Amino acid sequence: MKNDEPPSRKARQIRLKMLATKLAILFQGKTRGANSMRSSPPAELSLFSSSGVRKYLTKAERERFLHATETLDPMRRLFCAVLLWSGGRVSEVLAITPQAVDIDSCDIALLTLKRRNKFVVRQIPLPPSVMHALDEHLHLRSRQEDPRQTHRRLWPWSRTTAWRIIKKVMRDAGVTTLAASPKGLRHSFGVTAFQAKVPPHLVQRWLGHASLRTTSIYGNVLGEEEREFAARMW
């Protein structure tokens, strides 16, 4: 019977072309979908949860956080201070070594760990009081001159240990919302920088963002100027 005969060479070629066309269309659709996902802002680009809970610390909470660190030993207290004033991620601050600290210029060099396949180091200025305390308690100058010490981390902890330290200080400071985390400190850094009129491109560089679009979310927080305008309306 004709139905039992194998397909001709020309028929097989037509089927293969049709299959290749379908695969091309399918692949093109997936590629467009992936590109549209890349161009759309990720869900994490928000300083509030879906229920409106704030993810950053307010000025009052930052002050309470700093006050709560005063009962800690110098190692833990300084780790909290650097995390607060640098806007760095926990892993980035834990990776700091004596050679990454410029005592005279009062800045530290953080390796941006979220840039895949890219080696990006950013310099972050620190308050002189924090740098002085780092040098005094962690013996930075002497460790920078010692080849055995200059490449060793200042805080030889795991991320879990560092996270627990931050959470305890948050509890002592009375911060119990979603902001009570290292990420809350990072968000607070961005918000504080915008409200202090720091140029956006500097905030972007300090936070290690690949795109200014990501940094711009920190400019959406209600500031003192908006409150003054609202007060006029009231």
Side-chain angles (χ1 to χ4, degrees):
M1 297 178 64
K2 291 185 178 180
N3 290 338
D4 294 331
E5 294 179 0
S8 65
R9 182 177 178 182
K10 185 175 182 180
R12 287 198 302 268
Q13 289 178 342
I14 293 174
R15 289 181 183 178
L16 287 173
K17 286 183 178 179
M18 291 176 63
L19 179 61
T21 302
K22 290 180 180 179
L23 289 175
I25 293 173
L26 179 63
F27 179 76
Q28 187 178 16
K30 289 184 176 181
T31 304
R32 287 177 178 175
N35 289 336
S36 63
M37 287 177 65
R38 292 192 193 101
S39 61
S40 301
E44 66 177 8
L45 295 185
S46 175
L47 295 178
F48 297 89
S49 70
S50 58
S51 57
V53 179
R54 180 171 37 80
K55 295 180 181 179
Y56 63 92
L57 274 70
T58 63
K59 180 180 179 181
E61 288 171 338
R62 281 168 59 90
E63 292 175 352
R64 296 206 307 268
F65 177 85
L66 280 174
H67 180 73
T69 64
E70 294 177 0
T71 61
L72 302 176
D73 62 83
M75 283 279 288
R76 287 173 170 79
R77 184 175 72 250
L78 289 171
F79 176 77
C80 292
V82 172
L83 200 65
L84 175 72
W85 292 112
S86 70
R89 302 174 179 90
V90 167
S91 297
E92 294 171 345
V93 174
L94 286 177
I96 297 175
T97 62
Q99 67 174 354
V101 182
D102 190 325
I103 301 173
D104 296 325
S105 297
C106 287
D107 64 64
I108 56 174
L110 295 184
L111 174 62
T112 303
L113 298 179
K114 277 212 167 182
R115 298 280 190 92
R116 293 182 179 179
N117 303 322
K118 287 187 178 181
F119 184 82
V120 179
V121 176
R122 60 190 196 272
Q123 286 183 294
I124 315 293
L126 292 180
S129 58
V130 174
M131 183 60 70
H132 176 75
L134 282 171
D135 186 22
E136 179 182 359
H137 294 289
L138 302 186
H139 313 291
L140 287 181
R141 291 189 187 276
S142 60
R143 293 173 71 175
Q144 288 175 344
E145 296 171 357
D146 187 346
R148 298 169 299 178
Q149 295 288 332
T150 189
H151 299 289
R152 293 185 180 179
R153 294 189 298 147
L154 297 180
W155 295 282
W157 305 328
S158 66
R159 292 180 71 254
T160 302
T161 298
W163 195 85
R164 287 173 178 169
I165 292 171
I166 297 300
K167 290 295 286 186
K168 181 184 183 304
V169 177
M170 290 289 186
R171 287 195 301 270
D172 294 342
V175 182
T176 58
T177 62
L178 287 177
S181 67
K183 192 66 173 288
L185 290 174
R186 179 172 166 80
H187 286 325
S188 179
F189 177 91
V191 170
T192 303
F194 260 83
Q195 294 185 347
K197 307 299 183 183
V198 176
H201 73 278
L202 282 183
V203 183
Q204 176 191 4
R205 179 156 60 85
W206 291 347
L207 287 172
H209 290 158
S211 171
L212 191 59
R213 184 179 184 182
T214 304
T215 312
S216 64
I217 65 169
Y218 298 107
N220 296 330
V221 175
L222 189 67
E224 291 302 320
E225 289 184 353
E226 286 187 78
R227 296 181 193 278
E228 290 178 4
F229 283 118
R232 296 177 191 175
M233 180 179 65
W234 299 333

